[in-house]
Amino acid sequence: MNRCAAIQMASSPNISANFLEADKLIAEAVKAGAKLVALPENFALMGDHELDKIKAKEADGSGPIQSFLAAVAKKYAVWVVGGTIPIAGNDSNKVRAACLVYNDQGERVARYDKVHLFDVNVPGSDEVYRESDSIEPGIEPLVIDTPFGRVGIAVCYDLRFPEFFRKMGMEILIIPSAFTAETGVAHWELLLRARAVENLCYVIAPNQGGFHLNGRKTFGHSMIIDPWGVVLDCYKTGGGFVSAEIDLERLEKVRSAFPALNHRRFF
Protein backbone atom coordinates (compact mmCIF):
# COMPACT_ATOMS: atom_id res chain seq x y z
CA MET A 1 0.00 0.00 0.00
CA ASN A 2 1.05 3.59 -0.57
CA ARG A 3 -0.10 6.65 1.34
CA CYS A 4 -1.32 9.56 -0.77
CA ALA A 5 -2.28 13.06 0.33
CA ALA A 6 -4.49 15.92 -0.81
CA ILE A 7 -3.32 19.42 0.11
CA GLN A 8 -5.86 22.11 1.00
CA MET A 9 -5.05 25.82 0.70
CA ALA A 10 -6.74 29.20 0.68
CA SER A 11 -4.50 30.67 -1.99
CA SER A 12 -3.94 34.40 -2.41
CA PRO A 13 -2.79 36.70 -5.25
CA ASN A 14 0.77 36.43 -3.86
CA ILE A 15 2.51 33.61 -5.73
CA SER A 16 5.56 33.58 -3.45
CA ALA A 17 3.41 33.29 -0.34
CA ASN A 18 1.46 30.46 -1.93
CA PHE A 19 4.73 28.66 -2.69
CA LEU A 20 5.73 28.89 0.98
CA GLU A 21 2.38 27.51 2.13
CA ALA A 22 2.39 24.69 -0.42
CA ASP A 23 5.98 23.75 0.48
CA LYS A 24 5.13 23.64 4.19
CA LEU A 25 2.05 21.47 3.68
CA ILE A 26 3.83 19.12 1.29
CA ALA A 27 6.60 18.68 3.86
CA GLU A 28 4.03 17.86 6.54
CA ALA A 29 2.27 15.34 4.29
CA VAL A 30 5.55 13.65 3.42
CA LYS A 31 6.46 13.49 7.12
CA ALA A 32 3.13 11.71 7.64
CA GLY A 33 4.18 9.11 5.08
CA ALA A 34 2.74 10.38 1.79
CA LYS A 35 4.44 9.17 -1.39
CA LEU A 36 2.14 11.25 -3.62
CA VAL A 37 0.68 14.67 -2.89
CA ALA A 38 -1.93 16.54 -4.90
CA LEU A 39 -2.35 20.32 -4.77
CA PRO A 40 -5.65 22.16 -5.34
CA GLU A 41 -6.71 24.02 -8.46
CA ASN A 42 -5.08 27.47 -8.75
CA PHE A 43 -2.74 26.62 -5.87
CA ALA A 44 -0.14 29.21 -6.96
CA LEU A 45 -2.53 32.06 -7.72
CA MET A 46 -6.04 33.07 -6.75
CA GLY A 47 -5.91 36.51 -8.31
CA ASP A 48 -7.91 39.63 -7.59
CA HIS A 49 -9.37 39.34 -11.08
CA GLU A 50 -10.01 36.43 -13.45
CA LEU A 51 -7.58 37.88 -15.98
CA ASP A 52 -4.68 37.94 -13.50
CA LYS A 53 -3.82 34.41 -14.52
CA ILE A 54 -3.00 35.67 -18.02
CA LYS A 55 -0.31 37.96 -16.58
CA ALA A 56 1.16 34.98 -14.70
CA LYS A 57 1.05 32.51 -17.61
CA GLU A 58 4.13 30.45 -18.37
CA ALA A 59 5.47 28.83 -21.50
CA ASP A 60 5.12 25.07 -21.41
CA GLY A 61 8.28 23.68 -19.86
CA SER A 62 9.64 26.79 -18.14
CA GLY A 63 8.63 29.34 -15.53
CA PRO A 64 8.67 29.87 -11.76
CA ILE A 65 5.57 27.78 -10.98
CA GLN A 66 6.83 24.81 -12.99
CA SER A 67 10.27 25.18 -11.40
CA PHE A 68 8.69 25.19 -7.95
CA LEU A 69 6.74 21.99 -8.63
CA ALA A 70 9.80 20.18 -9.98
CA ALA A 71 11.91 21.38 -7.05
CA VAL A 72 9.53 20.28 -4.29
CA ALA A 73 9.01 16.89 -5.92
CA LYS A 74 12.76 16.34 -5.99
CA LYS A 75 13.44 17.86 -2.57
CA TYR A 76 10.91 15.67 -0.80
CA ALA A 77 11.24 12.66 -3.13
CA VAL A 78 7.47 12.65 -3.64
CA TRP A 79 5.16 12.49 -6.63
CA VAL A 80 3.38 15.82 -7.07
CA VAL A 81 0.10 16.49 -8.88
CA GLY A 82 0.40 20.22 -9.33
CA GLY A 83 -3.16 21.48 -9.05
CA THR A 84 -3.58 23.77 -12.05
CA ILE A 85 -1.26 26.46 -13.34
CA PRO A 86 -1.67 28.96 -16.20
CA ILE A 87 0.16 27.71 -19.29
CA ALA A 88 0.23 29.64 -22.56
CA GLY A 89 -2.18 28.30 -25.18
CA ASN A 90 -3.04 29.10 -28.77
CA ASP A 91 -4.86 32.33 -27.91
CA SER A 92 -2.52 34.98 -26.50
CA ASN A 93 -5.42 36.42 -24.49
CA LYS A 94 -6.13 33.15 -22.70
CA VAL A 95 -4.34 30.33 -20.88
CA ARG A 96 -4.68 26.60 -20.44
CA ALA A 97 -5.54 25.47 -16.91
CA ALA A 98 -2.87 22.78 -16.87
CA CYS A 99 -2.42 20.08 -14.26
CA LEU A 100 1.19 18.91 -14.34
CA VAL A 101 2.41 15.67 -12.76
CA TYR A 102 5.98 15.22 -11.49
CA ASN A 103 7.62 12.04 -10.30
CA ASP A 104 9.75 11.74 -7.17
CA GLN A 105 12.87 12.73 -9.13
CA GLY A 106 11.34 16.07 -10.07
CA GLU A 107 10.73 15.02 -13.67
CA ARG A 108 7.50 16.00 -15.37
CA VAL A 109 5.68 12.91 -16.56
CA ALA A 110 2.24 14.17 -17.65
CA ARG A 111 0.04 17.18 -18.41
CA TYR A 112 -3.74 17.49 -18.40
CA ASP A 113 -5.58 20.63 -19.55
CA LYS A 114 -8.97 21.26 -17.93
CA VAL A 115 -11.69 20.32 -20.43
CA HIS A 116 -14.95 21.59 -18.90
CA LEU A 117 -14.97 25.33 -18.16
CA PHE A 118 -17.02 26.86 -15.35
CA ASP A 119 -19.35 29.30 -17.10
CA VAL A 120 -22.26 29.60 -14.66
CA ASN A 121 -24.43 31.83 -12.54
CA VAL A 122 -24.45 30.13 -9.13
CA PRO A 123 -28.07 29.62 -7.96
CA GLY A 124 -28.92 31.31 -4.70
CA SER A 125 -26.10 33.84 -4.94
CA ASP A 126 -24.85 36.75 -7.03
CA GLU A 127 -21.73 34.82 -8.05
CA VAL A 128 -21.01 34.70 -11.78
CA TYR A 129 -18.14 32.77 -13.34
CA ARG A 130 -16.96 32.82 -16.95
CA GLU A 131 -13.81 30.77 -17.15
CA SER A 132 -14.00 30.73 -20.93
CA ASP A 133 -13.17 34.47 -20.89
CA SER A 134 -9.62 33.62 -19.83
CA ILE A 135 -9.14 29.87 -20.35
CA GLU A 136 -8.91 27.68 -23.45
CA PRO A 137 -10.40 24.23 -22.89
CA GLY A 138 -8.36 21.07 -23.15
CA ILE A 139 -9.44 18.46 -25.66
CA GLU A 140 -8.67 15.05 -24.14
CA PRO A 141 -8.64 13.15 -20.83
CA LEU A 142 -5.50 11.85 -19.16
CA VAL A 143 -4.78 8.49 -17.55
CA ILE A 144 -1.24 7.50 -16.55
CA ASP A 145 0.45 4.50 -15.00
CA THR A 146 2.20 5.28 -11.71
CA PRO A 147 3.72 3.28 -8.84
CA PHE A 148 0.44 3.86 -6.99
CA GLY A 149 -1.87 2.52 -9.69
CA ARG A 150 -3.49 3.74 -12.86
CA VAL A 151 -4.32 7.41 -12.25
CA GLY A 152 -6.92 9.55 -14.01
CA ILE A 153 -6.63 13.32 -13.75
CA ALA A 154 -9.51 15.79 -13.90
CA VAL A 155 -10.13 19.31 -12.57
CA CYS A 156 -13.02 20.78 -10.56
CA TYR A 157 -15.96 21.35 -12.95
CA ASP A 158 -15.03 18.15 -14.83
CA LEU A 159 -16.48 16.36 -11.81
CA ARG A 160 -20.03 17.13 -12.95
CA PHE A 161 -19.72 15.12 -16.17
CA PRO A 162 -19.82 11.39 -15.32
CA GLU A 163 -19.50 10.33 -18.96
CA PHE A 164 -16.04 11.91 -19.00
CA PHE A 165 -14.72 9.22 -16.64
CA ARG A 166 -16.44 6.05 -17.79
CA LYS A 167 -13.77 4.83 -20.21
CA MET A 168 -10.71 5.97 -18.30
CA GLY A 169 -10.00 2.58 -16.75
CA MET A 170 -8.46 4.25 -13.70
CA GLU A 171 -7.84 2.89 -10.23
CA ILE A 172 -7.37 6.35 -8.70
CA LEU A 173 -9.02 9.62 -9.72
CA ILE A 174 -7.21 12.79 -8.67
CA ILE A 175 -9.29 15.95 -9.09
CA PRO A 176 -7.73 19.26 -7.98
CA SER A 177 -10.53 21.76 -7.36
CA ALA A 178 -11.61 25.20 -6.20
CA PHE A 179 -15.27 24.46 -5.53
CA THR A 180 -17.28 27.48 -4.41
CA ALA A 181 -18.85 27.51 -0.97
CA GLU A 182 -22.37 27.58 -2.44
CA THR A 183 -21.91 24.67 -4.86
CA GLY A 184 -19.67 22.79 -2.45
CA VAL A 185 -22.17 22.52 0.38
CA ALA A 186 -24.78 21.24 -2.07
CA HIS A 187 -22.78 18.89 -4.30
CA TRP A 188 -19.07 18.41 -3.48
CA GLU A 189 -19.15 15.23 -1.38
CA LEU A 190 -22.15 13.88 -3.30
CA LEU A 191 -20.36 14.11 -6.65
CA LEU A 192 -17.03 12.81 -5.37
CA ARG A 193 -18.57 9.77 -3.75
CA ALA A 194 -20.67 9.11 -6.85
CA ARG A 195 -17.56 9.13 -9.08
CA ALA A 196 -15.83 6.74 -6.66
CA VAL A 197 -18.75 4.32 -6.56
CA GLU A 198 -19.64 4.28 -10.25
CA ASN A 199 -15.99 3.84 -11.30
CA LEU A 200 -15.06 1.61 -8.33
CA CYS A 201 -11.93 3.67 -7.77
CA TYR A 202 -10.22 5.75 -5.13
CA VAL A 203 -10.81 9.51 -5.35
CA ILE A 204 -8.24 12.02 -4.12
CA ALA A 205 -9.79 15.50 -4.05
CA PRO A 206 -7.65 18.49 -2.98
CA ASN A 207 -9.78 21.62 -2.77
CA GLN A 208 -9.30 25.29 -2.06
CA GLY A 209 -10.86 25.97 1.32
CA GLY A 210 -11.50 29.28 2.99
CA PHE A 211 -11.80 33.02 2.40
CA HIS A 212 -9.65 34.55 -0.34
CA LEU A 213 -8.40 38.12 -0.65
CA ASN A 214 -10.42 38.55 -3.86
CA GLY A 215 -13.62 38.12 -1.81
CA ARG A 216 -14.30 34.58 -2.94
CA LYS A 217 -15.07 31.78 -0.49
CA THR A 218 -14.24 28.19 -1.38
CA PHE A 219 -15.70 25.11 0.23
CA GLY A 220 -12.70 23.11 1.40
CA HIS A 221 -13.55 19.63 2.70
CA SER A 222 -10.66 18.08 0.78
CA MET A 223 -11.09 14.35 1.02
CA ILE A 224 -10.00 10.88 -0.01
CA ILE A 225 -12.68 8.31 -0.79
CA ASP A 226 -12.42 4.57 -1.26
CA PRO A 227 -13.99 2.51 -4.10
CA TRP A 228 -17.08 1.77 -2.00
CA GLY A 229 -17.75 5.46 -1.42
CA VAL A 230 -16.39 5.63 2.13
CA VAL A 231 -14.73 8.93 3.07
CA LEU A 232 -11.35 7.92 4.50
CA ASP A 233 -10.24 11.41 5.53
CA CYS A 234 -11.62 14.95 5.26
CA TYR A 235 -10.20 18.37 6.12
CA LYS A 236 -12.92 20.98 6.46
CA THR A 237 -11.49 24.47 6.12
CA GLY A 238 -8.24 26.41 5.95
CA GLY A 239 -4.80 25.09 5.12
CA GLY A 240 -4.00 21.47 5.82
CA PHE A 241 -4.00 18.04 4.25
CA VAL A 242 -5.70 14.67 4.26
CA SER A 243 -4.00 11.34 3.65
CA ALA A 244 -4.92 7.70 3.31
CA GLU A 245 -3.50 4.37 2.22
CA ILE A 246 -4.32 3.36 -1.35
CA ASP A 247 -4.94 -0.39 -1.18
CA LEU A 248 -5.04 -1.84 -4.69
CA GLU A 249 -5.57 -5.36 -3.35
CA ARG A 250 -8.78 -4.23 -1.66
CA LEU A 251 -9.80 -2.41 -4.82
CA GLU A 252 -9.41 -5.59 -6.86
CA LYS A 253 -11.40 -7.58 -4.30
CA VAL A 254 -14.23 -5.05 -4.49
CA ARG A 255 -14.19 -5.09 -8.29
CA SER A 256 -14.13 -8.87 -8.38
CA ALA A 257 -17.02 -9.27 -5.96
CA PHE A 258 -19.03 -6.43 -7.49
CA PRO A 259 -18.08 -6.42 -11.21
CA ALA A 260 -20.20 -3.46 -12.29
CA LEU A 261 -17.45 -2.19 -14.59
CA ASN A 262 -17.74 -5.41 -16.60
CA HIS A 263 -21.47 -4.84 -16.98
CA ARG A 264 -21.23 -1.41 -18.65
CA ARG A 265 -22.93 -0.90 -21.97
CA PHE A 266 -22.02 1.98 -24.25
CA PHE A 267 -24.50 3.00 -26.94
Side-chain angles (χ1 to χ4, degrees), residues 8-261:
Q8 182 165 293
M9 301 173 62
S11 298
S12 76
N14 187 321
I15 293 176
S16 296
N18 295 330
F19 284 172
L20 290 172
E21 177 73 357
D23 188 296
K24 177 179 76 75
L25 291 171
I26 290 169
E28 291 175 3
V30 170
K31 187 176 180 180
K35 302 299 183 184
L36 177 148
V37 298
L39 292 161
E41 184 179 24
N42 301 324
F43 87 93
L45 176 67
M46 288 282 279
D48 292 320
H49 306 285
E50 187 67 23
L51 298 180
D52 286 354
K53 62 173 66 75
I54 297 172
K55 300 174 186 176
K57 70 181 176 182
E58 299 182 358
D60 189 23
S62 66
I65 306 176
Q66 293 169 84
S67 295
F68 168 80
L69 291 170
V72 292
K74 184 175 183 179
K75 178 169 71 169
Y76 296 114
V78 65
W79 280 65
V80 174
V81 178
T84 61
I85 74 169
I87 295 289
N90 297 320
D91 186 335
S92 61
N93 295 314
K94 297 184 179 183
V95 300
R96 295 292 185 100
C99 181
L100 308 180
V101 182
Y102 294 81
N103 67 18
D104 56 5
Q105 303 299 309
E107 302 163 333
R108 194 175 105 181
V109 297
R111 168 182 166 177
Y112 165 72
D113 292 350
K114 185 178 184 179
V115 169
H116 299 93
L117 302 184
F118 194 50
D119 287 358
V120 305
N121 294 27
V122 178
S125 79
D126 58 0
E127 294 180 55
V128 177
Y129 298 92
R130 294 289 181 269
E131 283 190 335
S132 62
D133 286 348
S134 59
I135 298 175
E136 286 181 348
I139 58 173
E140 58 187 3
L142 174 69
V143 185
I144 58 172
D145 291 313
T146 75
F148 317 99
R150 190 160 171 77
V151 173
I153 303 289
V155 173
C156 202
Y157 193 49
D158 289 331
L159 181 62
R160 293 184 179 273
F161 301 88
E163 67 279 5
F164 186 62
F165 304 97
R166 294 304 279 160
K167 295 184 180 180
M168 280 191 176
M170 62 200 166
E171 295 167 311
I172 305 165
L173 169 62
I174 301 178
I175 184 156
S177 300
F179 247 64
T180 72
E182 289 282 349
T183 60
V185 71
H187 300 144
W188 171 247
E189 182 176 335
L190 171 71
L191 290 169
L192 290 171
R193 294 178 68 191
R195 296 298 86 83
V197 169
E198 66 198 11
N199 294 290
L200 291 173
C201 70
Y202 284 91
V203 173
I204 299 172
N207 199 22
Q208 292 280 348
F211 290 96
H212 303 268
L213 294 179
N214 61 9
R216 183 174 172 183
K217 183 181 179 183
T218 46
F219 183 60
H221 293 76
S222 295
M223 59 183 68
I224 299 177
I225 302 167
D226 81 0
W228 202 241
V230 176
V231 176
L232 301 176
D233 198 3
C234 177
Y235 194 91
K236 290 187 177 181
T237 191
F241 70 92
V242 292
S243 70
E245 298 287 348
I246 302 301
D247 187 347
L248 295 184
E249 288 188 8
R250 180 175 183 277
L251 182 145
E252 287 307 314
K253 288 179 180 177
V254 170
R255 288 182 171 184
S256 177
F258 199 86
L261 295 177

